[in-house]
Amino acid sequence: MTPTEPLVGHFAGQAAVRPPLPVKLVIAGGFGVGKTTAVGSISEIEPLTTEAAITEVAAGVDDLSHTPRKTTTTVAMDFGCITIDPTLKLYLFGTPGQERFGFMWDDIVEGAVGGLVIVDTRRLDDCYAAVDYFEHKQIPFAVAVNAFDGRVEHGLDEVRWALDVSEGVPVLVFDARERGSVRDALLVVLEQALARSQG
């Protein structure tokens, strides 16, 4: 039997199959770009969120001009999981978007094989910190432009230029509200991680 073949046995009349390989991915980006939405859209369990109400003090710090209906914000992390197939299960950790919570990133990212940086093209400045973080840590990542209201303000080539990411970093458009779109974006990250491990 090869290591890639499932271990099948019988116990009390039931077949036992090797559990799927656990893989940790991080979903990052600026404030209000859709990280919590993305985790919630795809998670097969009720996602764990650490949402807190946006207070008047926080509203004075966080730019709500592009997210006027946003009433809560992540203050620690989001967590969800999705079984891709019988051999692979993704554990998703969403980072808080505000710079003041950046001290938690090292703990959240530890052990992750890759990251998805979500971008709102109306405020690209908000995602520079996430891009810089993954580049500095040499963690494979992809940039996912969230299509707010079904559109993006800038083309993907412009986004790549503005973020100064290499040609090796995938830049794609996705919709954080749609399960299939989130899945496809995460699979791109997995491909990046696999390519890095084989390189």
Side-chain angles (χ1 to χ4, degrees):
M1 177 177 292
T2 66
T4 58
E5 293 175 343
L7 296 176
V8 180
H10 293 280
F11 181 75
Q14 299 291 323
V17 180
R18 176 183 290 168
L21 178 71
V23 174
K24 180 178 181 179
L25 294 182
V26 174
I27 297 179
F31 170 75
V33 295
K35 300 180 298 296
T36 301
T37 300
V39 172
S41 294
I42 197 168
S43 181
E44 64 194 15
I45 63 169
E46 184 70 26
L48 167 67
T49 62
T50 54
E51 294 284 291
I54 297 176
T55 63
E56 288 185 19
V57 173
V61 175
D62 300 321
D63 181 7
L64 299 175
S65 59
H66 292 289
T67 55
R69 294 187 300 271
K70 187 171 178 62
T71 59
T72 61
T73 186
T74 301
V75 294
M77 69 173 188
D78 299 313
F79 172 77
C81 62
I82 179 69
T83 303
I84 297 296
D85 62 35
T87 67
L88 187 65
K89 186 168 186 173
L90 302 184
Y91 290 87
L92 309 174
F93 290 77
T95 64
Q98 299 94 324
E99 190 174 329
R100 62 185 179 277
F101 296 124
F103 66 93
M104 292 187 273
W105 276 48
D106 284 345
D107 290 333
I108 294 172
V109 172
E110 184 175 1
V113 301
L116 184 69
V117 177
I118 301 179
V119 172
D120 179 352
T121 55
R122 299 171 299 182
R123 43 200 177 96
L124 285 172
D125 290 359
D126 290 355
C127 72
Y128 290 151
V131 169
D132 289 346
Y133 184 90
F134 287 110
E135 288 180 338
H136 178 71
K137 295 288 186 178
Q138 298 185 338
I139 297 172
F141 70 99
V143 173
V145 177
N146 197 1
F148 284 89
D149 301 320
R151 60 189 178 86
V152 294
E153 297 290 323
H154 303 285
L156 296 184
D157 288 341
E158 293 176 291
V159 172
R160 180 182 298 282
W161 178 84
L163 298 180
D164 193 26
V165 293
S166 72
E167 289 296 324
V169 175
V171 179
L172 53 110
V173 175
F174 90 131
D175 189 329
R177 302 166 300 178
E178 295 185 4
R179 181 182 179 89
S181 187
V182 176
R183 177 204 61 215
D184 292 347
L186 293 175
L187 290 176
V188 169
V189 176
L190 279 177
E191 289 173 2
Q192 286 294 100
L194 182 60
R196 176 75 62 87
S197 69
Q198 295 176 340

